[in-house]
Amino acid sequence: MGRKRTLFIIKAALGLAAMPLAGSLWPLPQTAKADDFELAMVIKETTNPYYKATLAGAQIAAGEAGGKVTNVGPTQSSAQAQVDIINNLADRHVPAIAVAPSDPDAVVPAMKRAQKLGSKVVTFDADSGPDGRPFFVNQATSDAIGRFGAILLVKAMGTSPKGKVAIVSAQPTAANQNLWIESFKDELKKHKDIEVVDTVYGYDNEQKAFDATVALTTKYPDLAGIFAPTCPGLPAVARALESVNKGKGVIKVSGNCVPSITAKYMLDGTIEGFYLWNPIKLGYVTYYAAKYLAEGKIQGKAGDSFTIASGKWPGTYTIGSNGQIITGEPLQFTAQNYKDYDF
């Protein structure tokens, strides 16, 4: 066989190999879906039922607007774990990332890196440093959340409220809870006979919150009230008080968490002031905001707005001068209404 004929046969064989053949063994390449938007919600911890509710809201929005959404986070709250997750998502070039930071400052470098690599990054539920994101989707104003907790606790303490009050929060670096606590304390200044004596932390862990509460009752045997702006910390506070026979009104309690794990302590009288907001709506609005940012329909600047014309929660949502989109107001749960909120 001559050299030219050999080369011809080789080229012909290569050409045939490159051609797609009919049949299931050689399928033609599939065209990418028109809407391949993805939102990754980086949450504080995957064991907290609160974030199942925010995910449920985002899934409703995804069903309306297209795309998909997932929760990603550590099993125990950790700023470094969130940083690693954000970096991994950035390396995957996920179109949009919504972060609920455990530490407002620790996540900022990773969020900035993700944006440089092309992901749109916002915060929800808890904010980062403002240089890490274009805007924050907030469930209600921090001032309203903190003051509402104080008002409910004072009401539970009676017509002449007085005594020592302590705070059981999630962790010292939780920016949202720190803002709520500031407003809580400011509201209590209206009542000169109430003294805030301590703030302790459960680090988003039920057992740690339980232990911290028991320690408070030992340290302050005359403690009159506890404010617990933390989920799952609030039901852990209730269990702790019951374990030392200081539940059911002996020490008054207000705080916020989801009804699914907290309502029974409200029903038995251990928690008098039990509230939250609608986390399903928070996730819903977060999804739309992140999707519209990724699509260039909003730029993320103060004054930008978008309208949900129809769907679960239609309306116009605007980024305020403080870089926040506010989705609602505090909501008190009662024996009459808690079953209306399935989260």
Side-chain angles (χ1 to χ4, degrees):
M1 185 181 294
R3 174 178 169 81
K4 289 184 178 180
R5 179 171 173 78
T6 302
L7 288 174
F8 173 79
I9 293 172
I10 292 173
K11 287 180 180 179
L14 289 173
L16 287 171
M19 291 174 62
L21 302 180
S24 59
L25 291 177
W26 295 88
L28 290 169
Q30 297 297 312
T31 303
K33 294 181 179 179
D35 189 352
D36 57 358
F37 174 75
E38 178 185 355
L39 172 64
M41 303 182 85
V42 181
I43 58 176
K44 292 181 180 179
E45 61 173 9
T46 55
T47 56
N48 189 336
Y50 172 84
Y51 291 112
K52 294 180 181 178
T54 55
L55 176 63
Q59 288 171 332
I60 293 171
E64 294 174 359
K68 61 182 179 179
V69 57
T70 55
N71 265 355
V72 284
T75 55
Q76 291 191 347
S77 182
S78 164
Q80 184 57 52
Q82 285 191 316
V83 168
D84 293 341
I85 289 168
I86 295 167
N87 282 330
N88 179 266
L89 292 169
D91 291 338
R92 286 179 47 212
H93 302 287
V94 172
I97 304 169
V99 184
S102 294
D103 183 313
D105 299 317
V107 294
V108 168
M111 291 167 66
K112 287 182 174 180
R113 176 178 179 271
Q115 291 174 83
K116 287 181 180 178
L117 291 177
S119 297
K120 298 299 183 181
V121 184
V122 303
T123 52
F124 79 108
D125 182 56
D127 202 6
S128 70
D131 58 331
R133 49 68 176 169
F135 59 84
F136 166 42
V137 186
N138 197 356
Q139 54 270 27
T141 67
S142 296
D143 187 66
I145 294 169
R147 291 186 189 278
F148 198 71
I151 290 167
L152 293 181
L153 185 60
V154 168
K155 182 180 179 181
M157 293 173 73
T159 54
S160 300
K162 62 181 179 180
K164 296 176 181 177
V165 168
I167 300 165
V168 180
S169 188
Q171 49 200 339
T173 57
N176 55 343
Q177 290 168 357
N178 288 340
L179 291 172
W180 302 342
I181 289 168
E182 285 180 17
S183 296
F184 171 84
K185 290 180 176 178
D186 190 63
E187 183 67 25
L188 285 190
K189 289 178 182 178
K190 299 175 182 178
H191 305 276
K192 59 183 179 61
D193 294 327
I194 296 179
E195 178 189 7
V196 178
V197 293
D198 212 341
T199 301
V200 298
Y201 302 95
Y203 295 89
D204 285 312
N205 180 280
E206 287 190 54
Q207 189 59 50
K208 289 180 180 179
F210 180 99
D211 294 340
T213 303
V214 171
L216 279 174
T217 65
T218 302
K219 186 176 180 180
Y220 306 99
D222 56 345
L223 193 65
I226 291 177
F227 174 52
T230 165
C231 189
L234 178 60
V237 167
R239 286 195 300 108
L241 293 181
E242 291 181 347
S243 75
V244 296
N245 298 315
K246 291 196 173 183
K248 296 179 174 61
V250 177
I251 294 178
K252 308 298 184 183
V253 180
S254 77
N256 53 57
C257 192
V258 294
S260 59
I261 61 173
T262 313
K264 64 181 179 179
Y265 300 107
M266 180 256 308
L267 295 174
D268 74 13
T270 301
I271 298 173
E272 289 84 4
F274 166 37
Y275 72 107
L276 196 62
W277 43 87
N278 193 334
I280 298 176
K281 184 178 180 182
L282 173 63
Y284 178 90
V285 176
T286 298
Y287 185 89
Y288 270 102
K291 190 171 192 292
Y292 288 163
L293 180 67
E295 293 173 348
K297 294 179 180 178
I298 57 173
Q299 302 304 310
K301 299 177 181 179
D304 277 1
S305 66
F306 59 90
T307 298
I308 302 172
S310 61
K312 181 70 173 179
W313 283 286
T316 298
Y317 299 88
T318 303
I319 303 172
S321 59
N322 59 356
Q324 296 186 19
I325 297 173
I326 305 299
T327 67
E329 293 295 332
L331 166 71
Q332 183 176 5
F333 298 114
T334 66
Q336 291 71 42
N337 74 2
Y338 80 96
K339 289 184 179 180
D340 296 335
Y341 301 95
D342 186 22
F343 50 79

mmCIF file of all heavy atoms in Angstrom, residues 119-161:
data_model
loop_
_atom_site.group_PDB
_atom_site.id
_atom_site.type_symbol
_atom_site.label_atom_id
_atom_site.label_comp_id
_atom_site.label_asym_id
_atom_site.label_seq_id
_atom_site.Cartn_x
_atom_site.Cartn_y
_atom_site.Cartn_z
ATOM 1 N N SER A 119 -20.020 35.814 40.061
ATOM 2 C CA SER A 119 -21.262 35.546 40.782
ATOM 3 C C SER A 119 -21.831 36.850 41.338
ATOM 4 O O SER A 119 -21.086 37.735 41.758
ATOM 5 C CB SER A 119 -21.012 34.579 41.949
ATOM 6 O OG SER A 119 -20.568 33.324 41.501
ATOM 7 N N LYS A 120 -23.152 36.967 41.351
ATOM 8 C CA LYS A 120 -23.803 38.072 42.028
ATOM 9 C C LYS A 120 -24.054 37.650 43.477
ATOM 10 O O LYS A 120 -24.590 36.565 43.730
ATOM 11 C CB LYS A 120 -25.129 38.427 41.350
ATOM 12 C CG LYS A 120 -24.963 38.898 39.905
ATOM 13 C CD LYS A 120 -24.125 40.160 39.814
ATOM 14 C CE LYS A 120 -24.029 40.658 38.376
ATOM 15 N NZ LYS A 120 -23.186 41.881 38.260
ATOM 16 N N VAL A 121 -23.650 38.483 44.421
ATOM 17 C CA VAL A 121 -23.697 38.106 45.831
ATOM 18 C C VAL A 121 -24.502 39.127 46.628
ATOM 19 O O VAL A 121 -24.221 40.331 46.561
ATOM 20 C CB VAL A 121 -22.277 37.980 46.429
ATOM 21 C CG1 VAL A 121 -22.345 37.494 47.874
ATOM 22 C CG2 VAL A 121 -21.420 37.021 45.594
ATOM 23 N N VAL A 122 -25.499 38.660 47.363
ATOM 24 C CA VAL A 122 -26.292 39.519 48.242
ATOM 25 C C VAL A 122 -26.335 38.861 49.620
ATOM 26 O O VAL A 122 -25.922 37.714 49.790
ATOM 27 C CB VAL A 122 -27.727 39.727 47.702
ATOM 28 C CG1 VAL A 122 -27.692 40.311 46.303
ATOM 29 C CG2 VAL A 122 -28.511 38.417 47.717
ATOM 30 N N THR A 123 -26.852 39.584 50.600
ATOM 31 C CA THR A 123 -27.075 38.999 51.917
ATOM 32 C C THR A 123 -28.568 38.962 52.210
ATOM 33 O O THR A 123 -29.344 39.746 51.659
ATOM 34 C CB THR A 123 -26.352 39.790 53.018
ATOM 35 O OG1 THR A 123 -26.697 41.178 52.929
ATOM 36 C CG2 THR A 123 -24.844 39.647 52.902
ATOM 37 N N PHE A 124 -28.957 38.043 53.076
ATOM 38 C CA PHE A 124 -30.341 37.962 53.530
ATOM 39 C C PHE A 124 -30.337 37.470 54.970
ATOM 40 O O PHE A 124 -29.383 36.841 55.420
ATOM 41 C CB PHE A 124 -31.162 37.021 52.631
ATOM 42 C CG PHE A 124 -30.963 35.553 52.917
ATOM 43 C CD1 PHE A 124 -31.971 34.807 53.524
ATOM 44 C CD2 PHE A 124 -29.776 34.905 52.583
ATOM 45 C CE1 PHE A 124 -31.795 33.466 53.805
ATOM 46 C CE2 PHE A 124 -29.599 33.559 52.848
ATOM 47 C CZ PHE A 124 -30.607 32.831 53.465
ATOM 48 N N ASP A 125 -31.382 37.787 55.702
ATOM 49 C CA ASP A 125 -31.553 37.370 57.097
ATOM 50 C C ASP A 125 -30.567 38.057 58.039
ATOM 51 O O ASP A 125 -30.961 38.611 59.057
ATOM 52 C CB ASP A 125 -31.477 35.852 57.231
ATOM 53 C CG ASP A 125 -31.696 35.401 58.665
ATOM 54 O OD1 ASP A 125 -32.752 35.765 59.220
ATOM 55 O OD2 ASP A 125 -30.844 34.709 59.225
ATOM 56 N N ALA A 126 -29.275 37.991 57.748
ATOM 57 C CA ALA A 126 -28.241 38.687 58.511
ATOM 58 C C ALA A 126 -27.307 39.353 57.514
ATOM 59 O O ALA A 126 -27.046 38.810 56.437
ATOM 60 C CB ALA A 126 -27.472 37.712 59.398
ATOM 61 N N ASP A 127 -26.795 40.513 57.872
ATOM 62 C CA ASP A 127 -26.005 41.288 56.910
ATOM 63 C C ASP A 127 -24.510 41.101 57.133
ATOM 64 O O ASP A 127 -24.053 40.734 58.227
ATOM 65 C CB ASP A 127 -26.359 42.773 57.049
ATOM 66 C CG ASP A 127 -26.027 43.572 55.797
ATOM 67 O OD1 ASP A 127 -25.633 42.962 54.787
ATOM 68 O OD2 ASP A 127 -26.181 44.807 55.837
ATOM 69 N N SER A 128 -23.757 41.369 56.090
ATOM 70 C CA SER A 128 -22.297 41.434 56.168
ATOM 71 C C SER A 128 -21.894 42.902 56.262
ATOM 72 O O SER A 128 -22.746 43.793 56.299
ATOM 73 C CB SER A 128 -21.689 40.817 54.911
ATOM 74 O OG SER A 128 -21.941 41.661 53.787
ATOM 75 N N GLY A 129 -20.598 43.143 56.260
ATOM 76 C CA GLY A 129 -20.141 44.501 56.070
ATOM 77 C C GLY A 129 -20.647 45.004 54.733
ATOM 78 O O GLY A 129 -20.681 44.245 53.755
ATOM 79 N N PRO A 130 -21.080 46.268 54.640
ATOM 80 C CA PRO A 130 -21.720 46.764 53.418
ATOM 81 C C PRO A 130 -20.830 46.732 52.181
ATOM 82 O O PRO A 130 -21.343 46.753 51.059
ATOM 83 C CB PRO A 130 -22.125 48.190 53.782
ATOM 84 C CG PRO A 130 -21.295 48.556 54.960
ATOM 85 C CD PRO A 130 -21.036 47.277 55.695
ATOM 86 N N ASP A 131 -19.510 46.665 52.365
ATOM 87 C CA ASP A 131 -18.624 46.612 51.194
ATOM 88 C C ASP A 131 -18.578 45.220 50.572
ATOM 89 O O ASP A 131 -17.964 45.035 49.526
ATOM 90 C CB ASP A 131 -17.221 47.069 51.566
ATOM 91 C CG ASP A 131 -16.594 46.251 52.689
ATOM 92 O OD1 ASP A 131 -17.360 45.727 53.526
ATOM 93 O OD2 ASP A 131 -15.350 46.141 52.738
ATOM 94 N N GLY A 132 -19.258 44.253 51.194
ATOM 95 C CA GLY A 132 -19.235 42.899 50.665
ATOM 96 C C GLY A 132 -20.407 42.554 49.771
ATOM 97 O O GLY A 132 -20.420 41.490 49.160
ATOM 98 N N ARG A 133 -21.395 43.458 49.693
ATOM 99 C CA ARG A 133 -22.602 43.138 48.910
ATOM 100 C C ARG A 133 -23.252 44.425 48.413
ATOM 101 O O ARG A 133 -23.061 45.505 48.991
ATOM 102 C CB ARG A 133 -23.580 42.336 49.770
ATOM 103 C CG ARG A 133 -23.875 42.910 51.165
ATOM 104 C CD ARG A 133 -24.636 44.181 51.167
ATOM 105 N NE ARG A 133 -25.010 44.722 52.449
ATOM 106 C CZ ARG A 133 -25.493 45.938 52.613
ATOM 107 N NH1 ARG A 133 -25.620 46.749 51.582
ATOM 108 N NH2 ARG A 133 -25.849 46.364 53.799
ATOM 109 N N PRO A 134 -24.046 44.355 47.338
ATOM 110 C CA PRO A 134 -24.760 45.547 46.878
ATOM 111 C C PRO A 134 -25.970 45.882 47.734
ATOM 112 O O PRO A 134 -26.313 47.049 47.901
ATOM 113 C CB PRO A 134 -25.167 45.189 45.445
ATOM 114 C CG PRO A 134 -25.222 43.696 45.433
ATOM 115 C CD PRO A 134 -24.167 43.239 46.389
ATOM 116 N N PHE A 135 -26.634 44.840 48.280
ATOM 117 C CA PHE A 135 -27.793 45.099 49.139
ATOM 118 C C PHE A 135 -28.076 43.898 50.041
ATOM 119 O O PHE A 135 -27.556 42.796 49.834
ATOM 120 C CB PHE A 135 -29.046 45.459 48.334
ATOM 121 C CG PHE A 135 -29.490 44.416 47.349
ATOM 122 C CD1 PHE A 135 -30.281 43.338 47.731
ATOM 123 C CD2 PHE A 135 -29.134 44.509 46.004
ATOM 124 C CE1 PHE A 135 -30.691 42.380 46.822
ATOM 125 C CE2 PHE A 135 -29.545 43.554 45.086
ATOM 126 C CZ PHE A 135 -30.324 42.487 45.502
ATOM 127 N N PHE A 136 -28.900 44.143 51.048
ATOM 128 C CA PHE A 136 -29.278 43.163 52.061
ATOM 129 C C PHE A 136 -30.789 43.014 52.049
ATOM 130 O O PHE A 136 -31.512 44.002 52.144
ATOM 131 C CB PHE A 136 -28.795 43.670 53.433
ATOM 132 C CG PHE A 136 -29.362 42.979 54.640
ATOM 133 C CD1 PHE A 136 -29.524 41.610 54.694
ATOM 134 C CD2 PHE A 136 -29.701 43.724 55.772
ATOM 135 C CE1 PHE A 136 -30.025 40.988 55.832
ATOM 136 C CE2 PHE A 136 -30.205 43.118 56.908
ATOM 137 C CZ PHE A 136 -30.368 41.744 56.948
ATOM 138 N N VAL A 137 -31.279 41.780 51.903
ATOM 139 C CA VAL A 137 -32.717 41.521 51.972
ATOM 140 C C VAL A 137 -33.056 41.233 53.432
ATOM 141 O O VAL A 137 -32.687 40.189 53.977
ATOM 142 C CB VAL A 137 -33.133 40.352 51.063
ATOM 143 C CG1 VAL A 137 -34.657 40.225 51.046
ATOM 144 C CG2 VAL A 137 -32.611 40.553 49.645
ATOM 145 N N ASN A 138 -33.757 42.160 54.050
ATOM 146 C CA ASN A 138 -34.003 42.132 55.496
ATOM 147 C C ASN A 138 -35.460 41.790 55.773
ATOM 148 O O ASN A 138 -36.371 42.304 55.118
ATOM 149 C CB ASN A 138 -33.653 43.493 56.100
ATOM 150 C CG ASN A 138 -33.489 43.447 57.609
ATOM 151 O OD1 ASN A 138 -33.696 42.423 58.233
ATOM 152 N ND2 ASN A 138 -33.111 44.575 58.184
ATOM 153 N N GLN A 139 -35.687 40.943 56.760
ATOM 154 C CA GLN A 139 -37.023 40.477 57.081
ATOM 155 C C GLN A 139 -37.898 41.562 57.692
ATOM 156 O O GLN A 139 -39.127 41.540 57.591
ATOM 157 C CB GLN A 139 -36.951 39.284 58.042
ATOM 158 C CG GLN A 139 -36.141 39.531 59.290
ATOM 159 C CD GLN A 139 -34.677 39.168 59.122
ATOM 160 O OE1 GLN A 139 -34.141 39.202 58.020
ATOM 161 N NE2 GLN A 139 -34.029 38.829 60.202
ATOM 162 N N ALA A 140 -37.302 42.509 58.370
ATOM 163 C CA ALA A 140 -37.970 43.666 58.977
ATOM 164 C C ALA A 140 -36.845 44.573 59.436
ATOM 165 O O ALA A 140 -35.681 44.150 59.462
ATOM 166 C CB ALA A 140 -38.853 43.250 60.153
ATOM 167 N N THR A 141 -37.137 45.785 59.804
ATOM 168 C CA THR A 141 -36.045 46.639 60.278
ATOM 169 C C THR A 141 -35.506 46.065 61.584
ATOM 170 O O THR A 141 -36.262 45.549 62.426
ATOM 171 C CB THR A 141 -36.502 48.083 60.501
ATOM 172 O OG1 THR A 141 -37.434 48.125 61.587
ATOM 173 C CG2 THR A 141 -37.134 48.667 59.245
ATOM 174 N N SER A 142 -34.206 46.153 61.758
ATOM 175 C CA SER A 142 -33.587 45.650 62.984
ATOM 176 C C SER A 142 -34.141 46.358 64.208
ATOM 177 O O SER A 142 -34.327 45.743 65.263
ATOM 178 C CB SER A 142 -32.071 45.831 62.900
ATOM 179 O OG SER A 142 -31.535 45.054 61.849
ATOM 180 N N ASP A 143 -34.424 47.638 64.054
ATOM 181 C CA ASP A 143 -34.965 48.402 65.172
ATOM 182 C C ASP A 143 -36.329 47.863 65.591
ATOM 183 O O ASP A 143 -36.608 47.672 66.785
ATOM 184 C CB ASP A 143 -35.079 49.875 64.781
ATOM 185 C CG ASP A 143 -35.465 50.766 65.944
ATOM 186 O OD1 ASP A 143 -34.662 50.886 66.887
ATOM 187 O OD2 ASP A 143 -36.585 51.320 65.925
ATOM 188 N N ALA A 144 -37.179 47.565 64.616
ATOM 189 C CA ALA A 144 -38.515 47.061 64.928
ATOM 190 C C ALA A 144 -38.453 45.702 65.606
ATOM 191 O O ALA A 144 -39.200 45.433 66.563
ATOM 192 C CB ALA A 144 -39.345 46.972 63.651
ATOM 193 N N ILE A 145 -37.548 44.840 65.154
ATOM 194 C CA ILE A 145 -37.438 43.492 65.730
ATOM 195 C C ILE A 145 -36.997 43.565 67.187
ATOM 196 O O ILE A 145 -37.550 42.892 68.069
ATOM 197 C CB ILE A 145 -36.468 42.635 64.904
ATOM 198 C CG1 ILE A 145 -37.040 42.385 63.508
ATOM 199 C CG2 ILE A 145 -36.186 41.307 65.599
ATOM 200 C CD1 ILE A 145 -36.061 41.770 62.535
ATOM 201 N N GLY A 146 -35.977 44.388 67.460
ATOM 202 C CA GLY A 146 -35.486 44.504 68.832
ATOM 203 C C GLY A 146 -36.497 45.124 69.772
ATOM 204 O O GLY A 146 -36.715 44.642 70.893
ATOM 205 N N ARG A 147 -37.127 46.184 69.341
ATOM 206 C CA ARG A 147 -38.101 46.873 70.205
ATOM 207 C C ARG A 147 -39.337 46.000 70.444
ATOM 208 O O ARG A 147 -39.904 46.017 71.548
ATOM 209 C CB ARG A 147 -38.508 48.217 69.581
ATOM 210 C CG ARG A 147 -37.389 49.222 69.585
ATOM 211 C CD ARG A 147 -37.811 50.595 69.108
ATOM 212 N NE ARG A 147 -36.630 51.426 68.944
ATOM 213 C CZ ARG A 147 -36.025 52.073 69.944
ATOM 214 N NH1 ARG A 147 -36.510 51.989 71.169
ATOM 215 N NH2 ARG A 147 -34.951 52.790 69.707
ATOM 216 N N PHE A 148 -39.723 45.226 69.446
ATOM 217 C CA PHE A 148 -40.888 44.359 69.610
ATOM 218 C C PHE A 148 -40.634 43.336 70.712
ATOM 219 O O PHE A 148 -41.514 43.052 71.541
ATOM 220 C CB PHE A 148 -41.199 43.663 68.283
ATOM 221 C CG PHE A 148 -42.582 43.085 68.200
ATOM 222 C CD1 PHE A 148 -43.699 43.903 68.106
ATOM 223 C CD2 PHE A 148 -42.778 41.710 68.203
ATOM 224 C CE1 PHE A 148 -44.981 43.371 68.020
ATOM 225 C CE2 PHE A 148 -44.048 41.165 68.104
ATOM 226 C CZ PHE A 148 -45.156 41.998 68.016
ATOM 227 N N GLY A 149 -39.424 42.781 70.752
ATOM 228 C CA GLY A 149 -39.080 41.832 71.804
ATOM 229 C C GLY A 149 -39.128 42.460 73.180
ATOM 230 O O GLY A 149 -39.577 41.839 74.154
ATOM 231 N N ALA A 150 -38.683 43.710 73.291
ATOM 232 C CA ALA A 150 -38.714 44.423 74.571
ATOM 233 C C ALA A 150 -40.144 44.707 74.998
ATOM 234 O O ALA A 150 -40.511 44.529 76.173
ATOM 235 C CB ALA A 150 -37.919 45.717 74.465
ATOM 236 N N ILE A 151 -40.962 45.134 74.059
ATOM 237 C CA ILE A 151 -42.360 45.459 74.371
ATOM 238 C C ILE A 151 -43.095 44.214 74.880
ATOM 239 O O ILE A 151 -43.840 44.276 75.865
ATOM 240 C CB ILE A 151 -43.062 46.044 73.123
ATOM 241 C CG1 ILE A 151 -42.500 47.440 72.826
ATOM 242 C CG2 ILE A 151 -44.568 46.104 73.317
ATOM 243 C CD1 ILE A 151 -42.879 47.982 71.469
ATOM 244 N N LEU A 152 -42.863 43.072 74.230
ATOM 245 C CA LEU A 152 -43.528 41.841 74.661
ATOM 246 C C LEU A 152 -43.035 41.387 76.039
ATOM 247 O O LEU A 152 -43.826 40.899 76.858
ATOM 248 C CB LEU A 152 -43.299 40.732 73.634
ATOM 249 C CG LEU A 152 -43.961 40.922 72.266
ATOM 250 C CD1 LEU A 152 -43.659 39.729 71.368
ATOM 251 C CD2 LEU A 152 -45.464 41.107 72.406
ATOM 252 N N LEU A 153 -41.748 41.539 76.305
ATOM 253 C CA LEU A 153 -41.217 41.133 77.612
ATOM 254 C C LEU A 153 -41.751 42.031 78.718
ATOM 255 O O LEU A 153 -42.151 41.543 79.788
ATOM 256 C CB LEU A 153 -39.686 41.156 77.591
ATOM 257 C CG LEU A 153 -39.013 40.642 78.867
ATOM 258 C CD1 LEU A 153 -39.405 39.195 79.147
ATOM 259 C CD2 LEU A 153 -37.488 40.763 78.762
ATOM 260 N N VAL A 154 -41.762 43.320 78.470
ATOM 261 C CA VAL A 154 -42.293 44.261 79.466
ATOM 262 C C VAL A 154 -43.757 43.960 79.757
ATOM 263 O O VAL A 154 -44.197 43.957 80.921
ATOM 264 C CB VAL A 154 -42.118 45.717 78.974
ATOM 265 C CG1 VAL A 154 -42.912 46.684 79.853
ATOM 266 C CG2 VAL A 154 -40.640 46.095 78.976
ATOM 267 N N LYS A 155 -44.512 43.668 78.726
ATOM 268 C CA LYS A 155 -45.928 43.331 78.911
ATOM 269 C C LYS A 155 -46.075 42.093 79.788
ATOM 270 O O LYS A 155 -46.943 42.034 80.670
ATOM 271 C CB LYS A 155 -46.585 43.107 77.552
ATOM 272 C CG LYS A 155 -48.070 42.786 77.623
ATOM 273 C CD LYS A 155 -48.651 42.580 76.224
ATOM 274 C CE LYS A 155 -50.132 42.229 76.288
ATOM 275 N NZ LYS A 155 -50.696 42.002 74.919
ATOM 276 N N ALA A 156 -45.210 41.103 79.578
ATOM 277 C CA ALA A 156 -45.268 39.874 80.368
ATOM 278 C C ALA A 156 -44.884 40.115 81.828
ATOM 279 O O ALA A 156 -45.334 39.392 82.720
ATOM 280 C CB ALA A 156 -44.343 38.821 79.758
ATOM 281 N N MET A 157 -44.074 41.154 82.069
ATOM 282 C CA MET A 157 -43.603 41.434 83.430
ATOM 283 C C MET A 157 -44.625 42.197 84.263
ATOM 284 O O MET A 157 -44.385 42.469 85.448
ATOM 285 C CB MET A 157 -42.266 42.186 83.364
ATOM 286 C CG MET A 157 -41.129 41.334 82.798
ATOM 287 S SD MET A 157 -39.584 42.241 82.528
ATOM 288 C CE MET A 157 -39.035 42.471 84.224
ATOM 289 N N GLY A 158 -45.759 42.568 83.666
ATOM 290 C CA GLY A 158 -46.845 43.141 84.448
ATOM 291 C C GLY A 158 -46.960 44.646 84.372
ATOM 292 O O GLY A 158 -46.214 45.315 83.657
ATOM 293 N N THR A 159 -47.897 45.180 85.140
ATOM 294 C CA THR A 159 -48.208 46.614 85.070
ATOM 295 C C THR A 159 -47.104 47.498 85.659
ATOM 296 O O THR A 159 -46.989 48.659 85.302
ATOM 297 C CB THR A 159 -49.526 46.898 85.807
ATOM 298 O OG1 THR A 159 -49.448 46.382 87.143
ATOM 299 C CG2 THR A 159 -50.692 46.234 85.089
ATOM 300 N N SER A 160 -46.313 46.957 86.562
ATOM 301 C CA SER A 160 -45.183 47.714 87.146
ATOM 302 C C SER A 160 -43.914 46.896 86.942
ATOM 303 O O SER A 160 -43.368 46.308 87.898
ATOM 304 C CB SER A 160 -45.422 47.987 88.630
ATOM 305 O OG SER A 160 -46.590 48.740 88.819
ATOM 306 N N PRO A 161 -43.431 46.821 85.717
ATOM 307 C CA PRO A 161 -42.303 45.927 85.414
ATOM 308 C C PRO A 161 -41.020 46.364 86.120
ATOM 309 O O PRO A 161 -40.650 47.538 86.096
ATOM 310 C CB PRO A 161 -42.166 46.041 83.898
ATOM 311 C CG PRO A 161 -42.746 47.382 83.568
ATOM 312 C CD PRO A 161 -43.865 47.581 84.531
#
